[in-house]
Amino acid sequence: MSNLMALSIQEEDRQRIARELHDTSLQNLAHLIHKIELSSLFIDQDPVRAKLELSVVNKNLREIIEEIRCTIFDLRPMSFDDLGLKAAFERLVSGINEKGNYEIDLSLEEVSCENNLILMSIYRVAKECLINIVKHADADRILFHCECKDNLCLIHIEDNGKGFDPNRPGEDSDKHFGISVIKERIALIGGKIEIDSKIDQGTKIRIEVPIFNK
């Protein structure tokens, strides 16, 4: 796989993170500045209202801190470093289903590999697939299985959403689901990926990545 492809993936990551920070944390912080300015106007005339406004600011600031923590976690998942890939996946799924919108079929085995870059790539691909379900699939059921067998990390992800046509890369579905980036990530670590999706019939993704330890 060419160095150009690796650089392309890195640039895609940078753009994604920049969009996330701009669209969430930065805009929310700008909004809070206006709330703080508004509160300062009420301090003398209506201290009760000023306290209420500042209480809202405090709550929103905590939410923004959590958003930034999630972005940092995406750059370098802390539980991945401390507890392993399984714990990172568990935290990822818990965050995705925080509001209980999905029926989750979850089965995870620990993946041991001395090459952290391989584990990080596996994590990022799985996260991209799951985030795509949340953003685009209109699903209410998600299957996420990860196991190790014969020096392979096997990942199986399914949803019961609206699906798309993976054989038409020129369509918006390819842009929205980031299929090309996912495939490039897997190819860079010597893996294989199969995507089976049909309109109104959901999506199935199967990933195989070789795992070799000394």
Side-chain angles (χ1 to χ4, degrees):
M1 195 61 55
S2 68
N3 291 332
L4 185 60
M5 183 175 292
L7 290 172
S8 174
I9 293 175
Q10 291 175 359
E11 183 60 28
E12 184 76 19
D13 281 339
R14 293 189 186 99
Q15 292 179 10
R16 175 179 52 80
I17 293 167
R19 286 194 301 269
E20 290 177 357
L21 288 173
H22 179 269
D23 294 342
T24 56
S25 302
L26 292 180
Q27 288 191 8
N28 290 336
L29 285 172
H31 179 65
L32 288 184
I33 290 175
H34 293 300
K35 278 191 167 294
I36 292 172
E37 292 172 346
L38 181 63
S39 300
S40 67
L41 297 176
F42 292 134
I43 287 178
D44 294 329
Q45 300 175 0
D46 192 345
V48 173
R49 182 172 179 181
K51 288 181 180 180
L52 290 173
E53 290 288 345
L54 289 174
S55 176
V56 173
V57 168
N58 180 61
K59 177 178 179 294
N60 290 343
L61 274 175
R62 294 178 183 276
E63 292 173 351
I64 293 170
I65 289 171
E66 185 59 29
E67 288 174 358
I68 294 173
R69 281 177 178 164
C70 289
T71 300
I72 294 172
F73 179 80
D74 184 46
L75 290 171
R76 188 65 175 172
M78 294 178 187
S79 63
F80 172 80
D81 288 334
D82 300 336
L83 302 175
L85 186 61
K86 179 181 177 182
F89 278 155
E90 288 172 344
R91 175 169 174 169
L92 172 61
V93 172
S94 176
I96 286 174
N97 202 33
E98 184 178 6
K99 297 181 179 180
N101 294 331
Y102 302 98
E103 178 184 332
I104 305 288
D105 181 347
L106 185 66
S107 176
L108 302 174
E109 293 182 3
E110 189 57 85
V111 179
S112 298
C113 180
E114 296 176 0
N115 190 328
N116 283 336
L117 289 176
I118 290 178
L119 293 180
M120 185 62 66
S121 295
I122 293 172
Y123 173 84
R124 293 197 188 286
V125 166
K127 178 176 181 177
E128 186 73 17
C129 293
L130 292 171
I131 292 297
N132 284 338
I133 293 174
V134 173
K135 287 184 175 180
H136 307 294
D138 291 337
D140 57 22
R141 295 198 303 273
I142 299 174
L143 178 147
F144 180 28
H145 292 179
C146 176
E147 64 174 327
C148 281
K149 184 178 180 181
D150 299 328
N151 292 324
L152 289 174
C153 173
L154 306 174
I155 293 179
H156 186 193
I157 299 173
E158 289 187 22
D159 69 72
N160 67 335
K162 61 185 181 182
F164 62 100
D165 186 350
N167 297 316
R168 300 178 66 181
E171 296 297 306
D172 288 341
S173 60
D174 180 68
K175 298 176 183 177
H176 292 166
F177 283 77
I179 294 174
S180 59
V181 173
I182 291 173
K183 288 181 176 179
E184 288 169 0
R185 284 191 186 279
I186 292 298
L188 281 170
I189 55 176
K192 299 177 182 178
I193 182 169
E194 296 179 2
I195 300 175
D196 181 11
S197 184
K198 296 180 177 64
I199 302 298
D200 297 326
Q201 296 185 34
T203 301
K204 298 179 181 179
I205 299 175
R206 289 171 292 276
I207 299 168
E208 294 183 7
V209 177
I211 301 294
F212 298 105
N213 290 305
K214 296 179 181 178

